[in-house]
Amino acid sequence: MIYITNGYMIDPKSGREGYYDILIQGDKIAGIARQGTPLPDLLGQKGIDAKWQQAEEVRRIDAAGLVVAPGLVDVHVHFRDPGLTHKEDIYTGAKAAARGGFTSVVLMANTKPPVDNVDTLSYVLEKGKKTDIHIYSCANVTKRMKGEELVDMEALSAAGASGFTDDGIPLMNEGRLREALRRAARLGKPVSLHEENPALIANNGVNAGKAAAYYGIGGSPREAEISMVERDLKIALEEEADLSIQHISTKEAVELVRRAKKQSSHIYAEATPHHFTLTEDALPEHGALAKMNPPLREEADRLAIIEGLKDGTIDMIATDHAPHSIEEKAKPITEAPSGIIGLETSLSLGIRELVDQGFLSMKQLMEKMSYEPARLYHLDAGYLEEKGPADLVLFNCRDRWQVERFASKACNSPFVGQWMPGTIMYTICGGRVVYRQPQVE
């Protein structure tokens, strides 16, 4: 058993917050009571086995000064496994997730080979079961991510696919998207889309503005995202299917989603920490470490994303954790791959850029980082209640830490060297402590 006392609990599902003690038995929360409830009373109220009397069987965690929240949920990560494990693998990705306070992650399917068949999906899920956190995975929408032939969505759903996506490659054929949405809706699974029209992009990963001008290249214009979001929202509204707009980057796309959500409860959107933190001005300073798809845009876009998070237009914060090797990121800007890692800095950026700036409350941040993403993907996660999963994160929102070393294999982050608020003290998954801040005794 684990007994967490003196912490400030936030449950985004019920809205309950305050000073509560939490008792964990096995992989479930056995009891939640107001701070100061004697442990025997808490145990007795819940009919828990009397083994608590043996002190060595109850691990007490004094969470004074800490926020106690549901384990974070990230529904957009790349662990590069199978095929590109020199960048990351499922084991190291899981360690990075736990260090960042995440207890559940959903993997994207653009691996090599891609997750377009049951065998590859089974490989990913079985390997995920050997980690300390909950590993879920999407499957592809189309075979080999070619956009031509739909996968066997029914078989992949039955094998455990949490959703469907060709993330990294937009689905250009409207008819295939429409059919995919229909089939996914029958299965009760979301479809998540990477929204960039390649026909409009001269150089990906760099905004067609000041950043592109700095490098003397064409870059990626905002219209590449806007046009795809507009088309796909129209189709999704017609099909009444769960559609998630991934890593939104433009103010126009935010407004399109805002309008669509007024017409349907099936429309969702996610934002990354880097898109609500940085602008294209980061490119001259950080080079390829600030190159990602879609690219960092302008200050007006960053503020529009924050406003979308505030008013509920954007449901989720997702990292798009995208590991690359040092050698790959050291290439010239037009040759270096797009993407940054994000699992270990996400919570801190949310605190620094959203909570500390007064845009979101801590409870709202927890909604965006746990309950809402879990709800879209139908995961049993993102909340704290009796008989619920014992997946929690305990963090000090005022303590500062420096971004230096990572549990990830990769270090491709523009935030290296920065001091951030929000030190993760404990990550608990399935009733087990899977990460503990090294300074904690």
Side-chain angles (χ1 to χ4, degrees):
M1 286 188 239
I2 298 177
Y3 181 50
I4 302 169
T5 186
N6 298 324
Y8 189 84
M9 188 191 81
I10 298 176
D11 174 35
K13 179 182 177 182
S14 66
R16 179 168 57 168
E17 61 179 307
Y19 290 96
Y20 290 86
D21 295 342
I22 300 175
L23 180 69
I24 294 171
Q25 185 178 48
D27 62 356
K28 300 294 183 182
I29 293 176
I32 300 175
R34 286 285 183 182
Q35 179 183 321
T37 300
L39 181 56
D41 291 349
L42 183 62
L43 290 164
Q45 291 169 10
K46 307 306 167 190
I48 306 299
D49 194 304
K51 291 180 180 178
W52 66 268
Q53 296 180 31
Q54 301 179 39
E56 68 274 14
E57 295 194 14
V58 178
R59 177 174 183 175
R60 296 171 185 258
I61 295 178
D62 186 352
L66 305 183
V67 172
V68 179
L72 305 181
V73 178
D74 192 340
V75 295
H76 190 154
V77 303
H78 301 269
F79 283 178
R80 310 300 192 196
D81 194 351
L84 297 169
T85 52
H86 66 284
K87 302 171 187 268
E88 191 83 283
D89 59 51
I90 289 172
Y91 299 136
T92 58
K95 289 186 180 299
R99 187 171 184 261
F102 291 90
T103 55
S104 298
V105 299
V106 177
L107 307 187
M108 295 295 98
N110 58 339
T111 50
K112 293 188 177 181
V115 188
D116 62 358
N117 61 86
V118 169
D119 287 345
T120 304
L121 176 63
S122 297
Y123 162 83
V124 169
L125 295 179
E126 287 304 312
K127 195 167 183 179
K129 291 177 183 177
K130 299 174 184 177
T131 71
D132 288 331
I133 66 168
H134 305 299
I135 302 283
Y136 305 92
S137 181
C138 283
N140 294 120
V141 176
T142 63
K143 293 183 178 180
R144 299 176 299 282
M145 298 180 65
K146 297 293 186 181
E148 298 169 356
E149 182 181 359
L150 295 182
V151 299
D152 188 340
M153 299 176 80
E154 291 73 18
L156 286 159
S157 178
S162 297
F164 297 93
T165 182
D166 278 359
D167 178 48
I169 300 177
L171 193 57
M172 300 305 298
N173 187 292
E174 293 185 28
R176 291 190 181 87
L177 173 59
R178 192 178 294 276
E179 179 59 23
L181 288 169
R182 288 174 180 169
R183 290 168 61 180
R186 289 196 295 267
L187 296 167
K189 304 286 185 177
V191 173
S192 301
L193 296 179
H194 183 116
E195 302 286 42
E196 289 186 290
N197 186 342
L200 302 181
I201 298 173
N203 310 96
N204 68 13
V206 180
N207 186 48
K210 288 189 296 181
Y214 174 83
Y215 289 106
I217 60 178
S220 175
R222 60 199 309 107
E223 291 77 13
E225 175 175 278
I226 298 165
S227 60
M228 294 294 293
V229 171
E230 186 173 29
R231 185 203 73 170
D232 294 346
L233 287 174
K234 179 178 182 295
I235 295 173
L237 289 172
E238 293 169 353
E239 298 300 330
E240 297 185 350
D242 285 345
L243 176 71
S244 178
I245 304 298
Q246 296 181 302
H247 40 45
I248 201 163
S249 73
T250 62
K251 61 183 181 181
E252 294 88 350
V254 174
E255 182 57 30
L256 287 167
V257 171
R258 181 176 286 114
R259 294 174 187 171
K261 288 175 78 78
K262 292 178 180 178
Q263 302 177 57
S264 172
S265 60
H266 293 285
I267 304 302
Y268 300 83
E270 62 178 50
T272 70
H274 42 273
H275 283 111
F276 65 65
T277 299
L278 302 173
T279 69
E280 63 179 337
D281 292 336
L283 270 294
E285 179 180 0
H286 298 288
L289 290 178
K291 178 184 178 183
M292 64 274 299
N293 299 335
L296 300 171
R297 304 286 186 185
E298 301 174 10
E299 177 66 3
D301 299 300
R302 187 184 77 85
L303 294 175
I305 290 168
I306 292 174
E307 186 61 33
L309 288 165
K310 284 176 59 178
D311 68 14
T313 298
I314 301 173
D315 309 87
M316 301 163 284
I317 293 171
T319 65
D320 192 13
H321 178 82
H324 295 293
S325 70
I326 294 174
E327 294 76 16
E328 290 167 319
K329 277 294 191 178
K331 292 179 179 180
I333 195 71
T334 55
E335 300 175 26
S338 294
I340 68 170
I341 58 173
L343 285 166
E344 298 173 62
T345 54
S346 181
L347 176 61
S348 291
L349 289 171
I351 294 171
R352 189 181 78 182
E353 302 295 330
L354 301 175
V355 177
D356 287 354
Q357 299 300 319
F359 296 119
L360 297 182
S361 67
M362 188 65 74
K363 182 172 68 176
Q364 290 171 320
L365 181 65
M366 294 301 99
E367 289 173 356
K368 305 292 185 185
M369 296 190 70
S370 60
Y371 180 63
E372 288 298 333
R375 189 168 67 88
L376 171 61
Y377 279 85
H378 309 295
L379 308 180
D380 188 23
Y383 65 98
L384 297 177
E385 64 182 40
E386 292 164 5
K387 300 183 181 178
D391 300 339
L392 303 91
V393 59
L394 284 64
F395 60 94
N396 187 325
C397 59
R398 294 298 162 214
D399 189 47
R400 287 164 54 83
W401 64 283
Q402 189 173 26
V403 182
E404 293 179 301
R405 295 178 296 276
F406 296 96
S408 170
K409 281 186 181 181
C411 59
N412 54 306
S413 169
F415 303 112
V416 172
Q418 294 188 20
W419 285 88
M420 295 194 184
T423 301
I424 307 293
M425 306 305 289
Y426 293 91
T427 304
I428 298 171
C429 186
R432 296 173 51 245
V433 174
V434 298
Y435 172 80
R436 185 181 68 178
Q437 214 281 335
Q439 297 179 3
V440 176
E441 293 297 332

